[in-house]
Amino acid sequence: MKGDLARREPGWIKAWQERRLYQRIRETARGRPKFVLHDGPPYANGDIHIGHAVNKILKDVIVKSKLLAGFDAAYTPGWDCHGLPIEHQIEKKHGRGIEGNRMRQLCRAYAAEQIERQKADFIRLGVLGDWDNPYKTMNFQTEADEIRALSQIWKQGLLFRGLKPVNWCFDCRSALAEAEVEYEDRDSPAIDVGFPVADAARLANAFGVPESSVDRVARAVIWTTTPWTLPANRAVVVHPEFDYQLIRTDGGLLILAAALAEQCLARYGSVGEVIATARGAALEGLELRHPFYDRASPIVLGSYVTAETGTGLVHTAPAYGADDYQTGRRYGLETDNPVGDAGRFAELLPLFGGMSVWDANPKIIDTLRERGALLKHATLRHSYPHCWRHKTPIIFRATTQWFIGMDKPGSKGSTLRELARQAVANTTFYPAWGRARLGRCHGSATGACRFRFSCTAKPRNCIRRPKRFSIRSRSASKPAASRRGSR
Ligand SMILES: [Zn+2]
């Protein structure tokens, strides 16, 4: 049989279009039970590939089979039009620093062109649908509806502003998504810093030794590869279940995790005698002094501390780490954020005001040395996050973001999470495990959740990043680099 499909297929599809086949089928099917396939729209960036083809053809088979089974089966194609990949394309072509309105115009025009190209290819695949009236996230009607939905959330008092640490590029002067972070090797200063214990009696009590054993100032030792975060230090975290030792050395009394003490002392070129051992939980609330500012830095607990590197005590600056931030929220610590958009300390910051964080690193190390707080300074070559555009090192930094509270009761008494759970409960799932998967997202307060805002696992959901062509909600991003136990 000679199919001659390369020639005949386009003819059939053209005929479907000319005869308005989809519209005529829908008219014929009017009044039958409805079957609506809600399509997860492709992104309006680049020509279609085999992934698009498989996805669209499988969905088309479903819609057509439901039509033949006697349903009024509708299919409205759609496109996701907002976000960073499109902005990146425009910046590649037109350069950076484009004025806001012009930027949005260019992004809109680019997305529109991509949609037309993809649409022609989808039609060519034989997919039947309402191609004249597609759903686009950049339709003004859709955008207005999103604003209306947001206003409902605002009216219920669920919209609030807060700080959240994000990956930050000083050259972009903007937050980066996870996909925009690359890892390259970089030399960082690795320092061991002693925080003096303020209350000797409380320390003796925590370790169960007589106060006379604490005859010199004891220091709790942290290890960090980011000295520039020390000005924002607000606490030192220990693991509640690790053993910590009070050790007499020729350099004074030190507090170190038992599992790491030996290698720490070797690093300091020191030997020591263990006076006593205590569980981390016993040290909670013990007041330390900041190594160069006149303020307290308490010991607090965190089960994310590891005994792999460092000292087993973790310097904590709530503005500069995800774990740090959560610990700060738990203990009501201040989220100092002295670093500006371009990577310089605020002018008013004592000792290091106006300096870039990279220039401040050696100055901070000098200050620690002068004050007798520096136990060791080495250079560490490690994998460090960089900006994919600028190839420059980035930092993790708190920025102001808008949030939607998932666990705050609204004006009708229910929380958004409860409403989402109800909606899941009232839905029949095929296959049934789909419900369990969605239910897990609702149930956990910490689990990673890929679903959008209506079922987010997070207690509060970040709704805006500082981008110019986006009004979409998205769940809070994860940190680029886990620095557990390493800073
Ligand atoms: Zn950058």
Side-chain angles (χ1 to χ4, degrees), residues 464-484:
R464 180 188 161 274
R465 292 179 311 136
K467 286 293 156 210
R468 295 185 289 174
F469 190 54
S470 174
I471 59 165
R472 292 259 310 280
S473 73
R474 53 179 69 235
S475 71
S477 66
K478 278 183 281 183
S482 171
R483 287 173 294 185
R484 283 173 191 176

Side-chain angles (χ1 to χ4, degrees), residues 170 173 228 231 293 337-361 363-364:
F170 297 138
R173 296 201 180 194
W228 63 266
Y293 290 148
N337 188 15
V339 180
D341 287 0
R344 291 189 177 278
F345 281 121
E347 292 295 333
L348 293 175
L349 182 78
L351 304 174
F352 313 108
M355 286 181 198
S356 87
V357 298
W358 311 124
D359 293 343
N361 267 346
K363 301 275 193 286
I364 289 168

